Amino acid sequence: MPGLDPLAPTPAPTPGNAADFSWQQDDVFGRIASRYDRLCDLFSLGLHRLWKRRVARVIADEPWTTLLDGATGTGDIILRLLAHERVAGRTVIASDISEAMLARARQRLACHPARLRFEVLNLECMPSMADASVDAYSISLALKICDRPAALQEALRVLKPGGRLVVLEASTLRPAWLQRAYLAYMALCMPLLGWLATGGDASAYRYLLLGIRGFPSAEQLAAELEEMGFEEVGFERLSLGIVAIHTARKPR
């Protein structure tokens, strides 16, 4: 059963794909779409529900008219977002590169009378989305499995001047020994749990482990956003820093 060495040093964050994941070569999300939500519960011990509830509140509090949700997955974030009355009448574009995941999102959101659109989009390159076409853009738990600079540059392009970016992603626990203990736990326990839960589909947890290990800290990601041209960059750590919510604004 494949795993990661918990004592191996964490590689320095570099631009690119932290998980070394290519959706063109491995349709892992298509294979696990029907059980993706259960796997999220397993891998996060249920904490992802709290993270998504919080990020949905952050998105809802922004005064946007049209939101593009990148890497929507099975629609978890949008489900929680639509629970907020203040978003009534706004338009939400749910997008994902995996048609199977997006089909699952359609099923879960079918009963919501919101202004919803579903688009198969690669968040690294979205030619069908016009420049400055949305005034809010969200992406949750997907930056670690894509070309991060390309995805963020696309977010900057499609946002209107003054538009808001909201990102939920892996971060770094404080103090450092706690991060090391967390990585050791993930490397030792997640392969076994993932192997059992997926019937031996190693991709379902391999990319998660690599992405968490190789993803930049909250401070480093904030610096990347500023260097890219975003303004009003900030972040909020959740669950001691397992993840963080990043916010930024496109210059007016």
Side-chain angles (χ1 to χ4, degrees):
M1 181 176 61
L4 294 178
D5 180 0
L7 300 180
T10 300
T14 57
N17 191 321
D20 193 26
F21 173 67
S22 172
W23 58 269
Q24 297 96 331
Q25 298 177 11
D26 188 354
D27 185 25
V28 58
F29 293 103
R31 295 196 303 274
I32 66 172
S34 63
R35 49 189 168 176
Y36 178 77
D37 298 307
R38 293 194 298 273
L39 290 174
C40 285
D41 279 330
L42 174 66
F43 290 145
S44 73
L45 302 180
L47 288 174
H48 76 105
R49 296 172 180 267
L50 301 177
W51 305 336
K52 291 172 179 176
R53 188 177 304 132
R54 174 59 184 157
V55 78
R57 186 179 304 117
V58 170
I59 298 169
D61 286 344
E62 292 293 327
W64 47 271
T65 300
T66 301
L67 166 76
L68 173 61
D69 185 55
T72 290
T74 62
D76 253 8
I77 298 294
I78 296 178
L79 274 172
R80 289 163 172 79
L81 179 63
L82 296 180
H84 294 268
E85 293 183 1
R86 64 177 69 90
V87 306
R90 303 185 193 182
T91 298
V92 177
I93 304 170
S95 72
D96 203 282
I97 193 61
S98 170
E99 294 188 30
M101 294 285 276
L102 205 58
R104 176 69 175 151
R106 284 179 182 271
Q107 293 173 353
R108 300 181 74 198
L109 295 165
C111 295
H112 287 271
R115 297 179 180 176
L116 284 171
R117 284 168 46 194
F118 296 88
E119 301 279 353
V120 177
L121 296 175
N122 175 5
L123 51 82
E124 298 172 0
C125 182
M126 302 180 288
S128 62
M129 295 295 300
D131 294 356
S133 55
V134 300
D135 42 20
Y137 183 99
S138 58
I139 177 170
S140 298
L141 305 174
L143 274 185
K144 64 174 145 328
I145 57 170
C146 70
D147 183 333
R148 186 171 68 255
L152 292 176
Q153 192 62 52
E154 275 293 86
L156 188 63
R157 180 185 68 82
V158 302
L159 279 169
K160 296 177 181 178
R164 197 68 159 166
L165 173 70
V166 181
V167 174
L168 171 66
E169 195 45 271
S171 189
T172 306
L173 283 79
R174 298 291 185 85
W177 68 263
L178 190 57
Q179 174 71 3
R180 290 193 296 271
Y182 172 65
L183 290 176
Y185 163 75
M186 292 293 287
L188 292 172
C189 297
M190 287 301 100
L192 174 60
L193 294 176
W195 187 268
L196 294 173
T198 63
D201 191 340
S203 295
Y205 60 84
R206 175 180 180 272
Y207 299 123
L208 171 67
L209 294 172
L210 290 174
I212 290 173
R213 173 174 286 181
F215 203 76
S217 68
E219 291 85 357
Q220 290 167 326
L221 182 56
E224 287 183 14
L225 292 170
E226 290 177 342
E227 291 173 5
M228 192 165 288
F230 284 99
E231 298 178 344
E232 299 178 33
V233 175
F235 61 84
E236 171 191 1
R237 287 188 176 89
L238 303 178
S239 301
L240 301 177
I242 294 177
V243 298
I245 298 174
H246 293 258
T247 55
R249 192 176 301 281
K250 180 175 179 175
R252 298 183 185 277

